[in-house]
Structure formats: C-alpha cells, structure tokens
Amino acid sequence: MTTQRTLAIIKPDAVDKGVVGQIIARVERAGFKILAAKLIQMSLADARGFYAVHRERPFFQSLCDFMTQGPCLPLVLEGENAIQRWRDLMGATDPAKAAAGTIRKDFASSIEANAVHGSDSAEAAAVEIPYFFSSLELCPR
Ligand code: CMP
C-alpha cells in the first residue's frame, strides 16, 4: 500500500444538481484527506487543455462544452491507494454500467454528464493536480 494523491472533480452537472455536499460526505466517509478544493468556472481553453489526451475522440468538443457549462469543483484527495479507491467510489464512467452505491450510479445522468472525474494513474495525477492547484494551495497534514 502506498499513500497517493489524486485529482478529483465534482463536475458541472453535480454542482447544478446541488449534490456537492453529498459527494464530499462520501469522500470523507471513505477516509480521504482533502488537501485542496475550489469552485471554478473553466474556460473552453481550460477544458481543452485538461482533456487534451482525449482530443482525437469524437466526444471531445461536446465534453469540453459540458465542462464549461457551469462551475465545477476540483479537489486533491490523499490516502492509501487513493487513485484506485477514488475510482472505485466513483463507479464506471457510464452510469448505466456503474455498480450500486457508487457516486455515478447515484448522481450521474449520462456517460458525459457523469458527476465526477478521477485521475486514472499516478502519471495522470502528477499532471492533473498541478493543472488546477499550485503547491501553495495544498494543505498536507
Ligand atoms: P472523465 O473521468 O472525466 O474522463 C473523460 C471523460 O470523457 C469521462 O469522464 C466522460 O465524462 C467523457 N466520456 C468518456 N467516454 C465518453 C463517450 N463515449 N461519450 C461521451 N463522453 C465520454
């Protein structure tokens, strides 16, 4: 087991539905430390930069439009095996395939408006965390 950090985002659909508190409660109940969090409104350029790895996918433009439709809440989570544990808590990308009790099963509307994001690897987390947060904004403890 290793202590890891992961980048989570509570996406615009979940902010709009008013379920930020319920999602953060699940984060805390699962024992993650929240090292940073902020409500932001991404520009199209911000979203395109964040999802650059998906730029060749057919859903890229629509995904970027969705991520800029309203505010979202990026967070940095820390804990043992945090990357996989946060992915387990989120559930499958497509809420129709997500297991009962996962965040996406309970709060997501579609494969695009899927409530939350999580880094898919340590390499991705190392790029995604500084995309939103400077080292001064992280509160390790
Ligand atoms: P996320 O974990 O943020 O990573 C990439 C995002 O692209 C994913 O969640 C979904 O919101 C979106 N996505 C993945 N596959 C599809 C798809 N087939 N159609 C539309 N959006 C998708």
Side-chain angles (χ1 to χ4, degrees), residues 112-129:
E112 180 173 89
N114 65 353
V116 281
H117 167 83
S119 305
D120 65 5
S121 63
E123 293 71 27
V127 173
E128 292 180 358
I129 291 170

Side-chain angles (χ1 to χ4, degrees), residues 89-102:
L89 204 59
M90 289 193 299
T93 305
D94 182 351
K97 297 180 182 152
T102 61

Side-chain angles (χ1 to χ4, degrees), residues 17 19 22 26 90 95 98-108 115:
K17 279 182 188 160
V19 294
Q22 292 184 64
R26 291 185 187 206
M90 289 193 299
T102 61
I103 291 170
R104 284 171 170 158
K105 184 69 174 182
D106 293 342
F107 301 120

